[in-house]
Amino acid sequence: MPDSYSQWIFSNDPIPGIQSNTFAHSLVRTLEHTGMQINVLSSPPVQDYPMCPIVDITEAALAFPTAKGAVFATSNKPIRKRIQRMLYIIRETVRKKPDYLVIHGLYLPYVFAGYVLSLIGYRTALVLTDPAGVISPGDGNLRRILKSLDRRLTRIFTKRFRYGIALSPELLNRYMPKSRHLVFPGIFPEQKRSEKPTPMGS
């Protein structure tokens, strides 16, 4: 996320996803070294409403040295946000027709979108950074139920991805034991950005 945008998100979130955001930036900059055109579709790593009191997440532009993209607007209400994010990734992938689809994280709406897209012929890669559905101290009953469902379904859908990139062999063995894969122990080193991301609209 852009710096000013992430500060706004994280200042409203009791469990800010700073590490996830940092890793995402590093991942994009690593993919830029392939020389391929990189288009980034992003949503903030943010706790569901009302834990994070932002009801509607606004759009923001992303700008890297060569990659381009946006943080797309979605609801932050638990069920609606999951459906919106899943449909957005499916729709935009079909519209843009990329050579590869790389999904960062074990977030069920994106994992399921990747599963659906793999069934219709897209080459999909999944970047495993941490386990799915981790229960946080402030989670209410609905979030606990959703996370339990996330854990079970994620184990099913990850097996459809052709390629896996993980921070540890344990994550690969748990979620994608038969995929072609790469293991990067730890997070990619932070690199200085040559361009500042700018907000889009207000």
Side-chain angles (χ1 to χ4, degrees), residues 5-142:
Y5 187 90
S6 62
Q7 288 169 12
W8 166 61
I9 291 287
F10 294 152
S11 67
N12 284 280
D13 196 336
I15 311 175
I18 297 170
Q19 182 171 311
S20 181
N21 185 52
T22 300
F23 180 86
H25 274 280
S26 299
L27 177 62
V28 171
R29 290 194 294 277
T30 300
L31 293 173
E32 286 180 309
H33 289 293
T34 64
M36 301 174 72
Q37 179 182 345
I38 308 298
N39 187 271
V40 183
L41 305 177
S42 177
S43 61
V46 63
Q47 304 301 313
D48 293 341
Y49 178 87
M51 185 177 289
C52 177
I54 303 171
V55 178
D56 295 302
I57 298 172
T58 57
E59 189 176 51
L62 295 174
F64 294 88
T66 59
K68 295 181 180 179
V71 180
F72 56 87
T74 68
S75 168
N76 195 34
K77 292 194 172 179
I79 295 174
R80 188 185 305 170
K81 100 177 195 181
R82 284 164 169 77
I83 294 171
Q84 286 179 339
R85 293 180 179 195
M86 176 195 68
L87 293 177
Y88 185 89
I89 295 301
I90 293 173
R91 184 180 71 244
E92 288 300 297
T93 301
V94 171
R95 187 174 72 86
K96 295 178 184 296
K97 296 179 172 57
D99 294 325
Y100 293 91
L101 174 67
V102 179
I103 292 178
H104 167 213
L106 287 167
Y107 180 51
L108 181 60
Y110 293 158
V111 171
F112 182 73
Y115 163 75
V116 170
L117 290 162
S118 71
L119 291 178
I120 60 177
Y122 285 92
R123 290 178 287 188
T124 56
L126 184 60
V127 182
L128 308 172
T129 52
D130 46 38
V134 176
I135 301 296
S136 302
D139 287 344
N141 290 334
L142 177 60

Side-chain angles (χ1 to χ4, degrees), residues 132-200:
V134 176
I135 301 296
S136 302
D139 287 344
N141 290 334
L142 177 60
R143 278 178 58 80
R144 289 174 181 270
I145 292 169
L146 288 173
K147 285 185 174 183
S148 175
L149 186 63
D150 284 356
R151 287 195 301 273
R152 295 179 185 183
L153 293 178
T154 297
R155 293 285 292 271
I156 297 171
F157 297 135
T158 52
K159 294 178 173 60
R160 294 295 307 183
F161 285 74
R162 289 193 190 183
Y163 311 105
I165 302 171
L167 301 186
S168 72
E170 291 77 18
L171 281 170
L172 278 167
N173 290 337
R174 185 185 306 177
Y175 293 102
M176 306 175 69
K178 297 181 180 179
S179 70
R180 299 177 183 177
H181 61 263
L182 295 172
V183 176
F184 289 93
I187 292 178
F188 297 116
E190 180 68 9
Q191 300 173 25
K192 186 176 181 181
R193 280 172 278 172
S194 61
E195 295 182 20
K196 283 275 187 179
T198 54
M200 179 166 29

